[in-house]
Amino acid sequence: MDPAPAPARPLNWWETATRWTQVTFTEDDPGRMDIGFWTDVMRRSRSNASCISAGGYMAFYPTRIPHHYRSAALGDTDPFGDLVEASRSLDMAVMARVDPHAIHADALAAHPEWAALDEDGNPVEHWAFPGIFVTCPFGTYNREFTTEVAREIVREYDVDAIFANRWQGHGISYSEAAQRSFFDATGLHLPRGPRTPDDPAWQAYPGWRRQQLSGLVGLWDDAVKDLKPHVRFFPNLGSVAVQDLERELVEEHYPMLFIDRQGRHGSEAPWSAGRNGKRSRSVFRDRPVGLITSVGPEEPVHRWKDSVGSPAETQAWIVDGFAQGLLPWFTKFKGEVLDTRWVQPVVDAFVLHERVEELLARTSIRADVAVLDPTRRMAAKAGAPLEVMHADNDLHGHGVYQALVEAGLPFEFVNDQRITRAELDLFEVLVIANAEMLSDTDCSVIRDWVHDGGSLVAAFETSLADAEGTPRGDFGLGEVLGVRLRQPARGPVKNNYVALTGEHDLHAPYAGAQRIIGGTRVVGVEEAEGTEVPFRFVPDYPDLPMEEVYAREAPGDPAVVTREQPGGGRSVYLAFDIASLFWESLQPDHGELLAGAVRWALRGDGRARVSGPGVVDVAVHENDGESGVFLVNLTNPFTMRGVYREVLPSGPYAVSIRVPEGKEVDEVRLLISGADAPSAVTDGRVEVVLDRIGQLEVVHVTWRELR
């Protein structure tokens, strides 16, 4: 193993690493895998970067480090080095994957301090593979051994980065190093037993853990840059772990981020791929982000990792991800390929990305509407484990997301930890499906923004508690919403309806109806002067016996309150659990009301809107001279429960794009089909009709100065 010559590579090599191939070896791969096959896949998929298993738990190169376990099949081969050379032959960036989450028994015997310990002080045996042991992320295994492994790889091979998988630990480690560090930092002992919100140790643990892991990443990054200045260290991240990183750490050590959310499962919606991009941008708007996609089914319970999933499912996940601004990355477990059915879908999806890559590079995603993403605060209130954000149990968030996707409205996220005036000024409408816990500062920033012309749509218990969950007694945003709390949320109730009252634009979808479905949990409010109440609650009544199922009283309490704001914006308050209920029951009246409230607050369709059959996820990529409206076709019998069986072409779709002030249309083209798009300009909007689209179409409009 001869040391690699120091390459003359740019420090910003990662800017051109836009399509990633990952090969994750298994112990029996050396001598079995076909390097030519992988070289061909990387060439056909137009991959320009690779991530290859190197070491950590198991070495796939001839390491010289004691207790760095070599694959039993390694012999005199070097599969890692062979794939590095193959990648370099295609002028690709190369990342070496290390996995420091477990060790073998001989390493434990030699270094018992490397292991994570349970509350009784015993080494934690691996949950899936008996006879190996979980490592402690806070001790010398990560700080010394993993650092040495990373430096050996960088010294000996021509790589651009080290990528660490499962590096954050699994549960609390009660190792001596962890206990000492926690006590020195907090004066407390590590928390034990079930988490309780009033336990000082549990309160202190997240911040301490974040600080420890942040320092570890900085140590690793500095260690590899010390050998070769262009090399970086990238830790793998979960779908929302980016929100738990120190900003200073990211700015110094993370030129790009990678989200390990490899696919959907169960009843997860296919737009979840793109949601990862919105969530990351809401925290770090200036960092490129890659979305890791598995070619196998993503089943966390059944764990069929060495398998091949539905081709259409894989392709949809990749395409929705890059349409919403994420760089495509696919991962294949096991270098020996026993089933090649995944290859063509990956190639097709990556080639689609290549076709729009120049547009993506020139433009930024923009939207008029932002949805507040209630992250750690809602997790803390729900009592979720500290290592797990609530991203997948925010049913209110799921509901409003689904409603806006169905309405064909592009939108972004604002993170609840970054509610600043600068963030809100990026948008015209802020939607808060349900964020009970907002600080006084958060409420003040939102109020000032609305007073200056912003529009607000909020529902249910939004702003009824401060950031720590202490009830306020009234809405923190009641002034701008035009409501006062009369009765806290009650429920669950049945046979709750809301009656259409007066005349209002929100009534438009309900011609012929006197009332529509209400909620299962409702908040009692009073409307302020200067508001309108287009919907009022019909007092709920029994659902059995059938002869008793009728309303006894006339509509009374406000269910929806709207206000024209003095600053020019608008507000809508919905006094029931409409968003979570829409996700649970998918009743179209709820979706129409959510989307209608946003359109009313927006005073129309905003910069772009897509209407047509099925489900289409929309994103708008813009600069001063052009707009690209991405339409990802998610229409499928299995849209709301995986997995897709095939891509179903759908249409027609009407695409409406606002003409920027001082501009006129230069050219309208369809980037995927490569055709000119017949269009018309009406009332300051470009109107385009697409007869049918497959997986993806992009309406590309170039603008010129108004003559």
Side-chain angles (χ1 to χ4, degrees):
M1 185 170 63
D2 297 324
R9 303 197 186 280
L11 297 180
N12 62 340
W13 59 266
W14 44 269
E15 291 181 353
T16 57
T18 57
R19 285 179 296 278
W20 290 79
T21 290
Q22 179 182 356
V23 188
T24 305
F25 296 148
T26 59
E27 184 161 19
D28 63 340
D29 275 334
R32 291 173 176 260
M33 59 181 293
D34 182 350
I35 298 297
F37 169 87
W38 285 107
T39 305
D40 182 62
V41 167
M42 292 187 292
R43 180 186 297 111
R44 290 175 56 198
S45 64
R46 316 296 202 271
S47 293
N48 50 30
S50 64
C51 180
I52 306 163
S53 288
Y57 168 70
M58 184 176 296
F60 294 97
Y61 69 96
T63 178
R64 299 188 182 100
I65 298 174
H67 305 295
H68 189 196
Y69 178 92
R70 292 190 184 195
S71 160
L74 190 66
D76 59 359
T77 67
D78 185 357
F80 169 70
D82 292 342
L83 264 185
V84 170
E85 290 185 10
S87 300
R88 288 302 189 195
S89 73
L90 298 174
D91 197 27
M92 297 169 66
V94 179
M95 183 181 284
R97 176 187 180 273
V98 299
D99 188 327
H101 88 279
I103 53 175
H104 290 78
D106 61 334
L108 174 66
H111 291 279
E113 72 279 8
W114 286 357
L117 303 183
D118 63 20
E119 292 188 29
D120 297 324
N122 301 312
V124 177
E125 192 171 20
H126 200 281
W127 62 93
F129 192 74
I132 65 170
F133 299 87
V134 177
T135 56
C136 174
F138 308 117
T140 57
Y141 180 81
N142 269 355
R143 292 192 169 274
E144 296 178 6
F145 177 81
T146 301
T147 304
E148 188 177 356
V149 169
R151 286 174 63 85
E152 180 181 59
I153 294 168
V154 172
R155 279 195 308 267
E156 304 294 340
Y157 294 92
D158 184 11
V159 299
D160 298 297
I162 303 293
F163 178 78
N165 188 57
R166 291 188 178 272
W167 60 283
Q168 306 102 318
H170 296 270
I172 295 180
S173 169
Y174 295 89
S175 70
E176 180 181 348
Q179 293 192 70
R180 182 172 60 250
S181 174
F182 187 74
F183 185 83
D184 290 346
T186 67
L188 301 168
H189 296 289
L190 284 168
R192 294 173 178 266
R195 181 188 175 198
T196 55
D198 56 351
D199 184 335
W202 277 113
Q203 292 174 350
Y205 183 75
W208 170 82
R209 178 177 180 270
R210 181 170 59 249
Q211 185 272 330
Q212 290 292 308
L213 295 178
S214 297
L216 184 60
V217 172
L219 169 70
W220 283 334
D221 192 45
D222 289 339
V224 295
K225 286 191 297 188
D226 178 62
L227 293 174
K228 297 176 183 177
H230 78 282
V231 176
R232 306 306 296 262
F233 194 103
F234 293 102
N236 195 6
L237 301 171
S239 63
V240 290
V242 65
Q243 298 167 122
D244 203 29
L245 297 174
E246 301 284 358
R247 296 200 65 81
E248 296 79 8
L249 169 80
V250 172
E251 290 166 1
E252 182 177 358
H253 296 288
Y254 285 71
M256 68 186 304
L257 305 170
F258 298 98
I259 300 299
D260 191 357
R261 189 56 183 271
Q262 297 182 21
R264 66 173 180 146
H265 61 90
S267 59
E268 189 172 10
W271 43 249
S272 298
R275 181 183 59 180
N276 291 303
K278 298 180 185 184
R279 182 161 277 135
S280 297
R281 277 194 300 280
S282 72
V283 186
F284 300 106
R285 296 202 180 275
D286 63 341
R287 292 294 189 269
V289 183
L291 175 65
I292 301 174
T293 301
S294 175
V295 303
E298 187 64 9
E299 286 287 348
V301 175
H302 304 303
R303 298 289 289 176
W304 295 312
K305 301 305 292 183
D306 185 20
S307 61
V308 172
S310 161
E313 181 74 28
T314 300
Q315 186 171 345
W317 192 258
I318 294 171
V319 172
D320 192 62
F322 75 66
Q324 296 292 349
L326 294 163
L327 300 173
W329 165 319
F330 83 88
T331 181
K332 169 67 175 69
F333 291 88
K334 189 165 181 55
E336 181 188 15
V337 178
L338 306 175
D339 187 337
T340 62
R341 288 176 294 170
W342 58 270
V343 175
Q344 195 59 48
V346 166
V347 167
D348 291 345
F350 274 40
V351 168
L352 280 176
H353 178 264
E354 183 191 44
R355 294 179 66 176
V356 298
E357 182 176 15
E358 290 187 7
L359 174 63
L360 295 173
R362 294 193 305 264
T363 58
S364 300
I365 290 186
R366 297 176 184 171
D368 303 301
V369 176
V371 173
L372 187 72
D373 191 21
T375 57
R376 292 168 59 206
R377 295 170 186 169
M378 293 296 288
K381 185 175 187 297
L386 292 170
E387 293 84 354
V388 180
M389 300 297 183
H390 88 301
D392 295 325
N393 57 37
D394 175 23
L395 302 185
H396 298 276
H398 292 354
V400 74
Y401 204 113
Q402 178 69 23
L404 294 182
V405 168
E406 288 189 20
L409 289 172
F411 62 98
E412 286 285 283
F413 276 169
V414 166
N415 186 273
D416 69 346
Q417 300 171 67
R418 290 183 54 76
I419 300 176
T420 66
R421 183 57 185 266
E423 281 288 295
L424 296 185
D425 282 345
L426 296 173
F427 308 100
E428 296 180 26
V429 178
L430 177 65
V431 183
I432 311 178
N434 186 49
E436 181 182 356
M437 293 184 290
L438 293 173
S439 71
D440 291 343
T441 299
D442 294 338
C443 292
S444 177
V445 170
I446 295 171
R447 283 196 301 267
D448 289 345
W449 175 73
V450 172
H451 288 159
D452 291 340
S455 292
L456 176 64
V457 176
F460 199 38
E461 297 179 301
T462 291
S463 79
L464 282 176
D466 64 19
E468 285 70 44
T470 304
R472 282 196 169 92
D474 205 346
F475 296 94
L477 294 172
E479 174 195 346
V480 292
L481 293 173
V483 294
R484 294 181 293 271
L485 181 67
R486 186 178 58 78
Q487 182 184 50
R490 62 182 180 87
V493 297
K494 296 182 179 181
N495 265 342
N496 181 266
Y497 301 90
V498 296
L500 285 67
T501 52
E503 294 184 1
H504 200 282
D505 292 344
L506 292 183
H507 296 161
Y510 309 114
Q514 298 180 35
R515 65 183 189 181
I516 61 173
I517 301 173
T520 59
R521 297 187 65 210
V522 300
V523 179
V525 301
E526 297 176 355
E527 72 271 29
E529 292 185 7
T531 61
E532 292 185 79
V533 184
F535 295 88
R536 291 185 180 273
F537 286 116
V538 177
D540 38 273
Y541 47 86
D543 66 321
L544 282 176
M546 296 305 295
E547 292 80 0
E548 302 290 347
V549 182
Y550 63 94
R552 271 71 168 177
E553 302 175 49
D557 289 346
V560 178
V561 178
T562 67
R563 167 177 271 178
E564 296 277 358
Q565 297 291 334
R570 288 172 164 177
S571 67
V572 182
Y573 172 69
L574 303 103
F576 59 104
D577 55 343
I578 183 171
S580 64
L581 191 55
F582 178 54
W583 182 250
E584 178 185 343
S585 65
L586 291 175
Q587 294 299 314
D589 281 354
H590 289 146
E592 289 279 6
L593 184 52
L594 282 167
V598 173
R599 281 195 292 268
W600 184 82
L602 189 58
R603 297 183 184 273
D605 291 332
R607 69 185 65 217
R609 183 192 176 196
V610 175
S611 56
V615 181
V616 178
D617 198 8
V618 180
V620 180
H621 298 250
E622 290 184 346
N623 59 34
D624 289 341
E626 60 189 325
S627 299
V629 180
F630 283 63
L631 290 75
V632 183
N633 180 13
L634 301 178
T635 306
N636 197 278
F638 296 91
T639 292
M640 301 308 294
R641 181 173 174 83
V643 297
Y644 280 22
R645 304 297 200 266
E646 59 181 320
V647 176
L648 299 180
S650 190
Y653 292 105
V655 181
S656 177
I657 306 169
R658 184 172 60 201
V659 178
E661 186 175 353
K663 304 283 188 178
E664 63 182 3
V665 176
D666 181 26
E667 183 182 45
V668 182
R669 285 189 59 80
L670 304 181
L671 293 189
I672 302 304
S673 63
D676 291 331
S679 61
V681 178
T682 305
D683 296 329
R685 303 188 70 85
V686 181
E687 308 290 347
V688 182
V689 175
L690 310 179
D691 290 334
R692 283 170 72 81
I693 66 172
Q695 181 76 77
L696 174 71
E697 188 55 271
V698 179
V699 180
H700 182 222
V701 184
T702 53
W703 312 105
R704 59 175 177 252
E705 296 297 326
L706 187 63
R707 296 170 181 172

